[in-house]
Amino acid sequence: MNTDSLTLGFIGYGNMAQAMAQGLVDAGVLPGGRIVACAAHYDRLVERTAQLGVRPMHSGTEVAAAADLVILAVKPEQVAQVCEPIRHELADPDRMVLSVVGGMTLEDYADLLEEGTHLICAIPNTPISVGQGVLVTQEDDTLTDQQRELFTQVFDPVAMIERLPRELVSVGTTIAGCAPAYTAMYMEALADAGVEHGLPRQAAYRLAARMVEGTGALYLATGTNPGAMKDAVCSPGGTTIKGVASLEKHGFRGAVIEAIDAVERGD
């Protein structure tokens, strides 16, 4: 099978599932008509799927029957209830299951799914909606080689796929999945400072957003150590180093590290 004949199904169609569908459709990976979805509230689902042409369905059973790739996108406390009635359908050898449920690993599904189910666990972040996502994927899975290749074909156009050992998936997900919120706060703070000094609000947002995008792209293109990237902008006695010194004085890096620590501790 390839993406030309693939039907993808979401069980759960909240913000993350919608972001994934948006990215896949906009990137031309799949047309909306080859994506199906179910959710707890059917009327709301119909509204949410209309823009992309995603086909709304009434139950997980209908989604599992229609889809070659089933994406579990519900809350952790809902997983057992969702999986129980479709265990057999999900174990079809020609079907692939992707869990994007936060905190759920391959081992957590051992008693929830039938032996032989082809399962991979991963967590995307919201920039997947514009084809600039990260998909943190558990290194271990039960896919066949052909399914693993298909998984890459589907998601590589919209996300950087980062495969990590089970014990590192949580922190990888925190950095990739939670930090967009922190980065948005940073962009907002930069824009506020720009506005304080006379920049129009939208111009300040555009400058901050492109700077973040470009800095990330520069690292990915060159692999230059971020410390060296910082040093390259800091001329002796120049303006940038004064700002860096102020950030250090106010604990900028320590605050970022503590934010990640807080998530990992579950504060």
Side-chain angles (χ1 to χ4, degrees):
M1 179 182 293
N2 55 43
T3 56
D4 293 335
S5 57
L6 178 76
T7 297
L8 184 149
F10 288 99
I11 297 180
Y13 201 64
N15 291 338
M16 188 57 72
Q18 292 173 65
M20 295 175 73
Q22 184 78 57
L24 291 170
V25 171
D26 287 351
V29 176
L30 291 170
R34 282 202 280 117
I35 301 176
V36 299
C38 70
H41 302 286
Y42 185 76
D43 291 344
R44 192 180 304 168
L45 174 68
V46 171
E47 295 176 1
R48 291 177 173 177
T49 55
Q51 182 179 357
L52 294 178
V54 172
R55 290 183 286 150
M57 296 194 162
H58 288 90
S59 68
T61 302
E62 291 182 8
V63 170
D68 307 294
L69 168 55
V70 175
I71 300 179
L72 300 175
V74 296
K75 296 177 180 179
E77 61 269 22
Q78 298 172 322
V79 172
Q81 180 182 356
V82 163
C83 288
E84 178 57 34
I86 56 173
R87 284 166 54 101
H88 184 68
E89 287 82 358
L90 295 180
D92 186 317
D94 294 324
R95 184 164 288 119
M96 180 174 17
V97 180
L98 165 62
S99 168
V100 295
V101 181
M104 294 289 290
T105 67
L106 191 70
E107 293 74 16
D108 294 323
Y109 282 97
D111 295 328
L112 300 177
L113 299 176
E114 290 186 7
E115 186 176 354
T117 302
H118 297 301
L119 172 69
I120 184 169
C121 296
I123 301 293
N125 63 3
T126 52
I128 199 171
S129 66
V130 292
Q132 296 292 327
V134 174
L135 196 64
V136 177
T137 305
Q138 186 175 341
E139 208 168 55
D140 298 328
D141 61 61
T142 56
L143 304 184
T144 66
D145 290 341
Q146 292 79 9
Q147 288 173 331
R148 207 169 287 116
E149 182 179 346
L150 179 60
F151 176 85
T152 301
Q153 289 176 6
V154 171
F155 291 106
D156 193 55
V158 296
M160 180 185 77
I161 300 172
E162 186 72 27
R163 293 180 169 85
L164 294 173
R166 178 186 58 80
E167 64 272 16
L168 297 179
V169 167
S170 175
V171 66
T173 298
T174 298
I175 291 173
C178 298
Y182 314 152
T183 305
M185 293 170 66
Y186 173 52
M187 289 167 52
E188 185 179 37
L190 289 173
D192 284 347
V195 171
E196 180 186 12
H197 289 275
L199 274 177
R201 171 69 63 179
Q202 293 307 313
Y205 280 146
R206 286 194 298 271
L207 290 169
R210 181 50 63 93
M211 178 280 301
V212 170
E213 179 185 44
T215 303
L218 179 61
Y219 171 78
L220 291 174
T222 65
T224 302
N225 183 287
M229 292 172 63
K230 179 263 295 178
D231 290 347
V233 189
C234 293
S235 302
T239 55
T240 303
I241 192 61
K242 292 181 173 62
V244 168
S246 179
L247 288 172
E248 294 285 18
K249 180 180 178 181
H250 290 88
F252 178 73
R253 287 193 287 187
V256 172
I257 293 169
E258 175 56 27
I260 303 300
D261 290 347
V263 175
E264 290 300 294
R265 288 194 306 264
D267 290 359

